[in-house]
């Protein structure tokens, strides 16, 4: 029986596919991308014989006499090529429709290895390398890479989702994984009152095929751009938070097919929204399974015989998929429900500063929370018109507000105030609006014709347009319907 | 393997492949695989010392031992046959040739040009069969197959001819031809290798 070197040296063959998943949710972009690739890894170790065969190759007496030890043609000696037989199975079985089945098989392209054939892996050593391997007692890994393309989104083994919840009832249900309509737990709700939860879901998609291995989440690491004292994490068990580096880590866990690993960062909404950036990195593995359906069918030596004919113990063979998910989130982009955007513009005969102050009062009166404010600046002198100042660009006044409408939702609005004013009118105006009484304000309005001109631009965002217009009309009515 | 998948035969898609072509890697079913003794798949084994001893004994027999035997033996054989057989004259070259041939199949290790004999050993070169597909069988391996056949044929022909001549004419000097045949038989894979080396 042929004694190839690979019989002795190869200990393990691993088929490894990698899925890198990128999810970016910021105000500018919602991007979900993935890339895939694979490789065959052959673990092999040198032994004494390997070194001996390199340092003292067998020589023919005539060859020695004529001055060379390497005189013989040794194409397959000492037998360093391993043929890795790879086969492909369709990763998804759709037994209803043959055409669909074809489609699925063709959808994923594997480039670099055959669909049904062998990959020849050269496992030759040089003597020095072999000595090193033996001295370190480490296996050398030979790698054959291949590309996987066209893996459809709906065949990814995981789905990554990020959501922001604000309602205590919802938060409790989401964290407890309860269905809607279950008995309300008032006491449980208490702890989430006034809180928001940023939830990261890693769902292990159920396959239609039979043997779905569990997903092993090795860990999740989340870095926050800022922290705050009230921050909490769920699940608390298995998490560790370092406020210094603003990093929270969750340990390993197993997710059965169809189940979801859920992680949450909890805190007051205003604090959570202040976090500009959250970077999450998840690492997980799927044992015994590849994305492309490529499997190692059998191993062969250079004589063409399979490991089953080898006298030495056969190498172990395994298949594995590793998943890395990188999620970048700007939590404010998840306020989200803000899919509907409505705008309104109000122009008044007043100064920008006066309008700003008035607006602050309107908000206070109507239960609108101001999350961020910056009053209009002094403006820049307008050329050719003495004493007139233009307030725009950097000088524009800004208000970010939030108005909650109970169970109906939340409206987020950004308001910008621009305009012009004369130096004289400014002083008068400030005192006018300092009066808290509505009556006074309305009365003085008429007399401000030459004081200036201010424009208020409002962008309201919420889950539905009706809520937006309700919000906008609140503001508009407060200014007497003047537009 | 882990998932129980198998390769399918390159020619018969519905059949599993138990082996691959050692030359080009095509998966093959039992019907599609051919086996060729391929000199480029030779490996080395133990038993070199034993072969060396046998070879040296044959050479010694040719040069010394046959002469040292009591003359009475040859005379007795000649008297049985009724004429001189010249058996010794035939055996001497036959022994010498097969002995040299046996030594010719040996290989040495641990000779690295100097006088360092650590790790020195005598090994035998062993032939192995390689599974090949039909096209490699007909293509790449054709020369090897032809050479194998030719050398075997020559060897057998010479051995038979030598014995036939000797027995027919009771003139055993012809045994040297059988010796040549034996040597070719023993060295046939090495001769094949030499031809391939020279032709490439
Ligand atoms: Zn072939
Ligand atoms: Zn076949």
């Amino acid at each position: 029986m042929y004694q190839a070197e690979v019989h002795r040296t190869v200990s393990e063959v691993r088929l490894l596919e990698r899925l890198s998943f990128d999810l970016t949710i910021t105000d500018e972009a919602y991007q979900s991308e993935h890339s895939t690739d694979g490789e065959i890894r052959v673990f092999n170790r040198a032994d004494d014989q390997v070194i001996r065969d390199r340092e003292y190759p067998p020589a023919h007496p005539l060859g020695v006499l004529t001055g060379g030890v390497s005189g013989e043609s040794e194409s397959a000696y000492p037998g360093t090529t391993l043929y890795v037989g790879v086969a492909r199975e369709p990763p998804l079985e759709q037994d209803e429709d043959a055409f669909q089945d074809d489609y699925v098989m063709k959808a994923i392209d594997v480039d670099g290895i055959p669909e049904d054939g062998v990959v020849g892996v050269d496992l030759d050593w040089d003597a020095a390398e072999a000595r090193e391997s033996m001295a370190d007692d480490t296996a050398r890994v030979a790698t054959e890479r291949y590309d996987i393309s066209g893996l459809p989104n709906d065949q990814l083994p995981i789905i990554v989702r990020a959501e922001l919840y604000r309602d205590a009832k919802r938060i409790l249900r989401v964290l407890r994984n309860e269905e809607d309509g279950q008995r309300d737990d008032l006491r449980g709700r208490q702890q989430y009152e006034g809180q928001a939860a940023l939830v990261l879901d890693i769902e292990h998609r159920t396959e239609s095929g039979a043997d779905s291995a569990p997903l092993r989440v090795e860990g999740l690491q989340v870095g926050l751009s800022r922290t705050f004292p009230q921050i909490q994490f769920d699940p608390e068990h298995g998490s560790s938070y370092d406020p210094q580096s603003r990093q929270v880590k969750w340990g390993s866990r197993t997710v059965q097919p169809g189940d979801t690993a859920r992680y949450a960062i909890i805190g007051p909404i205003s604090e959570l929204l202040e976090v500009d950036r959250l970077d999450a990195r998840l690492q997980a593995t799927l044992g015994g399974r590849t994305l492309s359906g490529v499997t190692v069918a059998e191993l062969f030596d250079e004589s063409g015989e399979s490991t089953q004919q080898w006298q030495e113990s056969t190498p172990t063979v395994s298949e594995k998929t590793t998943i890395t998910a990188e999620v970048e989130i700007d939590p404010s982009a998840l306020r989200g429900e803000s899919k509907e955007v409505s705008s309104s513009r109000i122009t008044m005969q007043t100064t920008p500063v006066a309008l700003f102050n008035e607006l602050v009062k309107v908000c206070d009166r109507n239960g609108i929370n101001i999350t961020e404010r910056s009053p209009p600046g002094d403006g820049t002198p307008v050329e050719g018109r003495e004493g007139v100042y233009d307030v725009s660009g950097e000088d524009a006044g800004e208000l970010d507000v939030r108005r909650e409408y109970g169970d109906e939702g939340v409206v987020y609005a950004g308001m910008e105030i621009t305009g012009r004013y004369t130096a004289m009118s400014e002083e008068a105006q400030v005192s006018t609006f300092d009066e808290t009484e509505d009556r006074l304000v309305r009365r003085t309005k008429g007399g401000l014709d030459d004081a200036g001109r201010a424009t208020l631009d409002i962008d309201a965002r919420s889950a539905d347009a009706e809520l937006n217009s309700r919000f906008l009309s609140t503001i508009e009515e407060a200014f007497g319907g003047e537009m | 393997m882990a998932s129980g998948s198998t390769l399918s035969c390159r020619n018969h898609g519905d059949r599993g492949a138990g082996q691959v072509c050692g030359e080009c890697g095509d998966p093959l079913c039992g019907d599609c695989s051919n086996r060729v003794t391929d000199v480029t798949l030779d490996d080395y084994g133990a038993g070199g010392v034993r072969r060396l001893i046998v070879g040296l004994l044959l050479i010694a027999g040719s040069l010394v031992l046959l002469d040292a035997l009591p003359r009475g033996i040859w005379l007795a054989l000649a008297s049985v046959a009724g004429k001189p057989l010249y058996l010794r004259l035939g055996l001497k070259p036959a022994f010498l040739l097969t002995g040299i041939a046996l030594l010719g199949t040996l290989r040495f290790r641990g000779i690295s040009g100097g006088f360092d004999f650590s790790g020195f050993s005598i090994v035998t070169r062993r032939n192995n069969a390689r599974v090949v597909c039909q096209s490699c069988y007909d293509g790449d391996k054709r020369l090897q197959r032809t050479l194998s056949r030719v050398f075997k044929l020559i060897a057998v022909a010479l051995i038979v001819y030598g014995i036939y001549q000797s027995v027919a004419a009771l003139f055993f000097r012809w045994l040297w031809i059988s010796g040549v045949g034996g040597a070719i038989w023993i060295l046939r894979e090495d001769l094949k290798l030499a031809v391939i080396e020279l032709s490439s």
Side-chain angles (χ1 to χ4, degrees):
Chain A
M1 200 66 219
Y2 176 52
Q3 308 285 319
E5 187 175 284
V6 291
H7 293 198
R8 306 188 320 266
T9 58
V10 176
S11 57
E12 195 180 347
V13 176
R14 265 188 228 168
L15 189 64
L16 185 71
E17 292 193 351
R18 273 182 298 261
L19 167 67
S20 308
F21 187 88
D22 275 291
L23 179 67
T24 309
I25 307 173
T26 61
D27 276 323
E28 292 79 38
Y30 181 98
Q31 256 178 358
S32 171
E33 290 172 343
H34 66 263
S35 67
T36 41
D37 66 79
E39 62 188 37
I40 297 169
R41 289 186 180 177
V42 181
F43 292 74
N44 58 127
R45 279 167 191 278
D47 58 12
D48 284 322
Q49 187 69 34
V50 168
I51 298 169
R52 198 165 141 77
D53 282 342
R54 302 304 183 285
E55 293 187 339
Y56 303 110
H60 192 271
L62 288 178
V64 175
L65 290 181
T66 53
V69 286
S70 54
E72 290 189 292
S73 145
E74 310 286 1
S75 79
Y77 180 80
T80 55
T81 300
L82 180 75
Y83 287 125
V84 179
V86 290
R88 251 190 104 181
E89 294 170 337
L92 199 72
E93 276 163 44
Q94 294 189 328
D95 39 12
E96 291 164 28
D97 191 329
F99 171 76
Q100 284 282 313
D101 215 337
D102 281 352
Y103 173 77
V104 168
M105 279 184 75
K106 289 213 166 67
I108 305 170
D109 270 335
V110 173
D111 189 24
I113 52 168
E115 300 225 340
D116 181 20
V118 298
V119 179
V121 184
D122 180 18
L123 301 172
D124 202 1
W125 300 83
D126 62 47
E129 190 189 9
R131 278 193 185 286
E132 216 169 280
S133 159
M134 283 194 68
D136 300 349
D137 193 29
T138 49
R140 183 183 64 169
V141 185
T143 309
E144 292 288 330
R145 287 178 211 286
Y146 58 93
D147 289 328
I148 306 163
S149 58
L151 182 67
N153 270 315
D154 61 7
Q155 275 185 45
L156 294 178
I158 61 162
I159 305 170
V160 180
R161 273 185 298 255
E163 249 165 300
L164 192 64
Y165 296 98
R166 245 169 312 217
D167 178 65
K169 203 156 84 185
R170 284 289 298 285
I171 295 174
L172 189 66
R173 282 198 175 139
V174 164
L175 295 184
R176 289 193 179 168
N177 222 347
E178 289 172 349
E179 297 294 320
D180 277 344
Q182 230 161 315
R183 202 170 55 81
D184 203 1
D185 176 358
L186 279 171
R187 188 175 296 177
R189 241 169 90 176
Q190 207 73 47
Q191 58 171 314
Y192 297 117
E193 218 58 73
Q195 304 275 303
L198 194 144
V199 173
L200 203 61
D201 275 347
I202 316 293
E203 183 185 329
H204 180 199
R205 195 194 294 270
T206 333
E207 290 167 273
S208 55
D211 57 336
S212 314
L215 177 81
R216 170 116 185 123
V217 177
E218 314 287 356
L220 173 72
Q221 193 174 331
V222 182
L224 301 157
S225 61
R226 72 178 282 272
T227 186
F228 46 91
Q230 310 95 314
I231 196 162
Q232 290 178 62
F233 302 97
D234 188 279
E236 209 184 333
H237 182 76
S239 73
S240 66
Y241 182 58
D242 175 16
Q244 213 63 44
S245 62
R246 301 185 304 278
Q247 285 223 328
V248 58
K249 282 181 196 165
W250 277 277
S252 62
R253 65 196 271 190
T254 303
V255 188
Q256 296 300 328
D259 284 355
T260 297
R262 181 163 280 162
Y263 303 91
I265 297 167
I266 303 156
I269 180 70
S270 53
E271 299 277 18
L272 265 184
L273 288 178
E274 283 287 297
V275 178
D276 293 328
R277 198 185 147 109
L278 186 147
D279 289 291
R281 190 183 157 85
L282 174 105
Q283 279 190 293
T285 53
L286 266 176
R289 211 197 124 189
T290 57
L291 300 164
S292 62
V294 172
T295 59
V296 175
E298 217 157 338
L299 306 172
F300 306 89
D301 61 27
E302 277 171 86
S303 75
E305 300 284 4
S306 102
T307 41
Q308 290 161 23
Q309 311 293 324
W310 297 5
Q311 284 165 354
E312 288 79 3
S313 62
T314 57
T316 55
V317 173
S318 62
E319 284 123 8
K320 192 166 103 170
T321 300
T322 64
I323 301 167
T324 313
E326 309 240 14
V327 185
E328 184 197 327
I329 301 172
D330 176 356
S332 61
L334 289 172
R335 287 172 299 193
E337 304 108 345
S338 55
K339 281 158 202 136
E340 295 290 337
V341 180
S342 316
S343 306
S344 175
R345 167 172 286 194
I346 301 172
T347 304
M348 290 176 68
Q349 302 288 326
T350 183
T351 68
V353 171
L355 180 56
F356 181 84
N357 293 336
E358 174 72 357
L359 194 55
V360 170
K361 283 176 201 162
V362 168
C363 291
D364 289 345
R365 266 182 236 134
N366 291 285
I368 299 168
N369 287 322
I370 297 172
T371 52
E372 198 161 325
R373 69 176 86 192
S374 77
D378 291 338
T380 48
V382 177
E383 258 181 71
R385 291 189 63 185
E386 208 174 327
V388 179
Y389 296 85
D390 180 64
V391 178
S392 62
E394 295 251 305
D395 285 324
E398 278 179 3
L399 273 185
D400 283 337
V401 302
R402 190 183 81 238
R403 170 74 162 93
E404 299 194 16
Y405 291 94
D407 276 355
E408 291 172 90
V410 181
V411 176
Y412 292 88
M415 304 199 246
E416 193 185 57
I417 295 160
T418 53
R420 285 182 176 192
Y421 70 95
T422 61
M424 283 193 306
S425 66
E426 177 71 356
E427 285 162 42
Q429 270 324 110
V430 170
S431 60
T432 311
F433 275 133
D434 273 345
E435 303 284 344
T436 48
E437 281 173 53
D438 215 8
R439 175 177 54 84
L440 253 177
V441 176
R442 287 195 194 285
R443 183 174 53 77
T444 49
K445 227 178 246 168
L448 292 169
D449 278 355
D450 57 348
R453 197 175 173 77
T455 303
L456 169 64
D457 283 301
I458 311 171
D459 281 321
R461 301 182 303 273
S462 76
D464 91 272
E466 199 272 321
L467 222 51
N468 288 346
S469 50
R470 237 206 281 178
F471 173 83
L472 292 175
S473 37
T474 306
I475 306 286
E476 285 159 5
E477 278 162 26
F479 287 101
E482 214 174 326
M483 273 180 259
Chain B
M1 213 173 282
S3 50
S5 67
T6 48
L7 298 178
S8 44
C9 173
R10 189 55 84 238
N11 306 316
H12 309 91
D14 54 338
R15 293 192 200 168
Q19 54 274 114
V20 295
C21 173
E23 197 70 26
C24 68
D26 275 355
L28 303 169
C29 75
D31 288 344
C32 294
S33 50
N34 302 282
R35 280 180 171 74
V36 178
T37 303
D38 188 342
V39 287
T40 67
L41 197 69
D42 285 357
D43 58 10
Y44 298 86
V49 175
R50 204 178 56 211
R51 195 177 292 183
L52 178 72
I53 291 169
V54 174
L56 289 174
L57 276 176
L58 282 169
I59 293 170
S62 160
L63 300 179
V64 186
L65 297 178
L66 285 176
D67 289 330
L69 285 176
R71 289 178 63 90
I73 295 174
W74 311 117
L75 291 171
L77 285 171
S79 71
V80 169
K83 59 183 272 197
L85 294 175
Y86 300 100
L87 188 59
R88 189 160 54 107
L89 284 178
L91 285 176
K92 278 183 81 162
F95 276 26
L96 187 66
L97 286 166
T98 48
I100 289 172
L102 276 178
L103 295 187
T105 63
L106 293 174
R107 299 293 188 280
F108 300 95
R109 273 183 183 281
I111 305 171
S112 49
F115 292 94
D116 176 18
F117 285 92
S118 65
F120 176 81
S121 64
I122 303 166
V123 290
T124 55
R125 191 174 164 110
R126 298 186 306 193
N127 307 122
N128 291 296
R130 180 175 247 170
V131 177
V132 286
C133 69
Q134 197 60 43
S135 72
C136 293
Y137 186 76
D138 292 336
D140 242 34
K141 301 298 163 204
R142 189 186 198 100
L143 177 63
Q144 284 210 36
R145 280 166 42 229
T146 311
L147 289 172
S148 281
R149 207 169 297 157
V150 166
F151 286 126
K152 273 186 195 167
L153 212 72
I154 292 173
V156 171
L158 290 177
I159 291 168
V160 170
Y161 181 77
I163 291 172
Y164 173 78
Q165 283 291 352
S166 306
V167 174
L170 285 182
F171 182 59
F172 283 87
R173 240 187 139 159
W174 289 108
L175 275 181
W176 75 269
I177 291 177
S178 295
V180 171
I184 290 174
W185 180 267
I186 291 166
L187 286 171
R188 65 187 189 281
E189 291 298 325
D190 294 77
L191 290 168
K192 194 166 108 182
L193 180 66
V195 173
I196 288 167
E197 295 246 299
L198 288 174
S199 68
S200 65

